[in-house]
Amino acid sequence: MWWSEDSQLEKKLTDSTSGETHDWTNIPAPRVIKTPDDYELQNPVRSVSPEILTEKEVRNTLMAWVRHKLHYKNELARKMEIKEIIPSIIFYYVLDTFIEQRALKFSCQQSPILGAALPPNKKLKAWEVQCFPVKYFQDETKYFHMPNSDKKGMCISCYGRGLVLCATCWGSGEITCQKASSSERGGMLSQCPVCTANNTTDCERCAAIGHIQCLRCGGMGKVWYFTNLKVEYVTQRRDKLIAEEDFPTSILQKDHGMVIYDRTSELVTPISTCTEEEVNLASQLLVQESHFSWPDSRILQQKHTLTAIPVNKVLFTWEDLSGRFWIYGTKRQIYFKNYPLKKSWWP
């Protein structure tokens, strides 16, 4: 018997079996007890303090931001009265779980797949087939022809006859002639040279036989049945952003802050030493959920990171306008919704 791995195998099977196929059946992974490491207790989360900006720094940062906007005027940035600067830190926690899942499907094709030889009379279960990802936390799918699962049998499409009903003429060998509409010439009907006015003509697809060769077995009446194995490597991401309710969190990206905790392990331990208790609770919840979220899969590796993003919320007044904007990130980016002084508003 033979066994092969081929990334194009699934496409070949679909092309060659032109009939219905069974759905994939997930095979639960063997239960293995793993113990999380104690890295977090030995290497606690690095403490970080909010960045407190002065009024001069706030004004200069806003004016620099306005200069990069083609249609904005800098009058507000120069003349506004800064009422309050509120510093804070946004924490962004990310947990990535790299899992492996396997599924089987009963398939068939005209001839057995050739590949690397295996010992005779040896059969393997789905999780006994050796398979490894190219790289952790990189999604990929591999297909295997399960060893020693080949068995030759009657083709289920043609019931062993090698022929199937022609779908064009439905077994009659004739179809409606497209040229049968006669036209009147001088009071006489012209006769169609193809169907001789009978409105039917021979089916070209089956040569008027009414049946065509079965595509699944190639007209042989028998096919090779076997079990196909699909191995998927998937990265499941769960994250939590801890910020003030009024901050537009959708604008944030991980590179806006600094990573204060980073750990990769077969099974990580929840963070418990962060000064922000909400981070500890979020980490504990997401890590615990990851142990039960994919019961049929096997966890190969986990990694989690905690990023601290400095934020300064600025409250200001200018003429009869009161508003707010944010300076956030290590590069002091600005979020100012509906900046009131656009050049298009001025004559």
Side-chain angles (χ1 to χ4, degrees), residues 18 38 63 79 108 125 129 136 138 144 158 167 216 219 224 235 239 243 274 283 290 305 313:
S18 71
D38 57 354
M63 292 183 68
K79 297 182 179 180
C108 67
K125 296 180 180 179
V129 176
Y136 280 168
Q138 176 178 295
F144 292 87
C158 63
R216 185 186 292 270
W224 283 92
T235 302
D239 57 6
C274 182
S283 176
S290 71
T305 59
K313 179 179 174 181

Side-chain angles (χ1 to χ4, degrees), residues 16-23 105-110 151-165 214-226:
S16 63
T17 58
S18 71
E20 71 285 346
T21 56
H22 293 83
D23 293 332
K105 182 171 71 172
F106 194 56
S107 307
C108 67
Q109 65 178 44
Q110 296 179 17
K151 185 177 181 181
K152 196 171 186 178
M154 182 185 71
C155 176
I156 59 175
S157 293
C158 63
Y159 298 99
R161 293 177 295 180
L163 296 173
V164 294
L165 195 70
C214 177
L215 296 179
R216 185 186 292 270
C217 66
M220 302 301 295
K222 292 184 179 296
V223 292
W224 283 92
Y225 293 96
F226 62 94

Side-chain angles (χ1 to χ4, degrees), residues 84-88 244 246 311-315 324-327:
E84 188 176 5
I85 302 173
I86 307 172
S88 63
E244 293 183 2
D246 60 346
V311 176
N312 278 266
K313 179 179 174 181
V314 182
L315 307 179
R324 60 184 177 177
F325 62 92
W326 287 267
I327 301 176

Side-chain angles (χ1 to χ4, degrees), residues 14 96 103 130 146 188 260 288:
T14 303
D96 286 330
Q130 289 191 355
M146 288 294 287
M188 298 181 61
I260 59 176
Q288 288 180 350

